[in-house]
Amino acid sequence: MAKIDVHHHILPDFYEKLLAQANIPVGTSIPHWSPEVSLDLMDKLHISTAVLSLSAPGAMIAGDANQARTLARRWNEHAAEIRSHQPGKFAFFAALPGLTDQEGAMAEIRHALEDLRADGITLFTSYGGKYLGAKEFEPIWEELDRHHAVVHVHPIHSREAPFTTPFLPQPLIDYPHESARTASDLVLSGRKRQFPDCAIILSHAGGTLPIISERLASLTNTIFVGLLNENSPRGDQIMEDIKSFYFDLAISGSANVLDTLLKWAPHDRILYGSDFPFAGGVEGSFDKALEGYEMNDQLRGMIYQDNALSLFPRLRSPSQ
């Protein structure tokens, strides 16, 4: 059964060079990428369409705000060109220069969604030490909501996470926590309910969010209720908003994750993802585990394609 991969990164040579120069810890080595490499992986894993995105640290790696704007624009134009050559094989989430540069971010949202016809937008879990529910980012969400944007949220290194041991780089442990933190911030700040026309996809099955959600909702409604503001959800609304996210299965196709997610999340909110090429080759083993997980054909079809097609109707007729 063919799949739509909503978590598929690309590293054009100009971005790969910046990663190498910055010595960013993305693994033991920076993966080499080309469209042909993606197509080979897609053929092996029966992926019909890959939604391309820029992984952490994103355009902010370029330096100052103007340099980040230039890099985001260059990456978006490059991704749009890749899609134009094979619109059935590729879609893309546009990159932004960073939300702390509100003017630049707003301009790139409009350019990407209106001029380039991007399929959505990539956001990272935090910017300048603030999670996505921060008041400062409200105008960004207003613009995204106005466009009915699909937003893919990817974890990024937290400036506040303490260094513990060289054996635990942030992608291993902290990334799943960062996804849970920013999702919780979006819910409890009221931002998720405030802008319902944005479809928000959380990476890696939502990280630790499914595990902590009952704790989060219960304690927020009781001993921490005084921390809520006038926009915050209350009572059953908290869990409703948590479960209104979408969840991709990048590096999350193992049985223990699927057991939890399928019992907890609405099935029409679960999407296939590979995390290529940053999965270091394990995307194949997670895909194999997902393929071997017992589920009926209807549910498998929802996860592999149908749920994504509801978010990206263009892919039903990709040549248009």
Side-chain angles (χ1 to χ4, degrees):
M1 187 180 294
K3 310 177 183 83
I4 295 175
D5 182 359
V6 303
H7 194 138
H8 194 111
H9 301 302
I10 66 170
L11 291 85
D13 56 357
F14 57 85
Y15 185 67
E16 184 177 337
K17 289 177 183 177
L18 286 172
L19 281 178
Q21 292 168 4
N23 194 28
I24 299 295
V26 295
T28 55
S29 63
I30 298 171
H32 173 70
W33 177 85
S34 69
E36 293 71 29
V37 171
S38 278
L39 289 168
D40 183 58
L41 182 280
M42 291 165 66
D43 183 60
K44 289 177 180 176
L45 301 187
H46 307 290
I47 296 168
S48 59
T49 305
V51 187
L52 309 178
S53 60
L54 181 63
S55 187
M60 293 84 75
I61 195 177
D64 62 27
N66 286 331
Q67 291 170 317
R69 291 183 185 187
T70 300
L71 178 57
R73 179 63 57 91
R74 185 179 183 185
W75 189 94
N76 290 337
E77 301 279 356
H78 185 76
E81 183 178 0
I82 292 172
R83 184 191 61 184
S84 71
H85 292 312
Q86 294 181 286
K89 284 289 185 182
F90 295 116
F92 77 99
F93 292 118
L96 299 184
L99 301 198
T100 54
D101 175 16
Q102 184 179 123
E103 180 181 350
M106 298 276 275
E108 198 59 33
I109 288 170
R110 289 190 286 269
H111 174 67
L113 296 179
E114 297 173 12
D115 301 331
L116 298 181
R117 310 298 293 176
D119 299 278
I121 298 289
T122 293
L123 294 184
F124 295 111
T125 45
S126 65
Y127 295 87
K130 294 183 183 295
Y131 291 110
L132 294 178
K135 183 68 175 177
E136 296 92 319
F137 303 149
E138 186 173 1
I140 304 292
W141 287 110
E142 288 178 352
E143 188 69 13
L144 292 169
D145 194 68
R146 184 175 72 83
H147 284 89
H148 293 239
V150 179
V151 177
H152 187 255
V153 177
H154 194 282
I156 195 170
H157 280 51
S158 169
R159 300 191 311 182
E160 282 67 40
F163 177 80
T164 53
T165 163
F167 303 110
L168 295 177
Q170 288 203 28
L172 282 183
I173 303 295
D174 292 284
Y175 273 22
H177 295 326
E178 287 299 287
S179 292
R181 289 186 181 108
T182 206
S184 301
D185 191 49
L186 281 168
V187 169
L188 297 182
S189 66
R191 216 66 69 216
K192 184 71 175 68
R193 183 166 289 256
Q194 186 179 359
F195 300 111
D197 290 329
C198 281
I200 302 175
I201 305 169
L202 300 178
S203 300
H204 313 125
T208 52
L209 183 65
I211 304 297
I212 67 166
S213 60
E214 292 288 351
R215 172 190 176 95
L216 177 74
S218 297
L219 294 183
T220 299
N221 275 317
T222 53
I223 61 176
F224 294 118
V225 70
L227 301 179
L228 299 178
N229 61 39
E230 66 276 8
N231 297 315
S232 299
R234 284 168 170 76
D236 293 341
Q237 292 178 335
I238 294 176
M239 190 59 73
E240 289 173 7
D241 289 357
I242 290 172
K243 291 189 177 185
S244 69
F245 290 106
Y246 289 82
F247 307 89
D248 80 39
L249 293 180
I251 323 183
S252 304
S254 56
N256 61 324
V257 175
L258 292 170
D259 284 347
T260 298
L261 193 63
L262 289 171
K263 290 178 181 177
W264 176 83
H267 290 177
D268 62 355
R269 298 280 166 161
I270 303 173
L271 307 161
Y272 177 81
S274 70
D275 214 342
F276 182 79
F278 285 106
V282 302
E283 63 275 345
S285 61
F286 278 99
D287 187 84
K288 184 177 180 180
L290 177 60
E291 291 279 3
Y293 189 87
E294 186 175 351
M295 66 177 77
N296 61 50
D297 288 345
Q298 181 182 7
L299 176 56
R300 193 174 298 278
M302 291 172 66
I303 294 172
Y304 282 11
Q305 274 203 349
D306 295 345
N307 294 340
L309 287 173
S310 71
L311 290 177
F312 309 107
R314 178 188 73 80
L315 297 181
R316 298 184 187 273
S317 301
S319 61
Q320 297 181 2

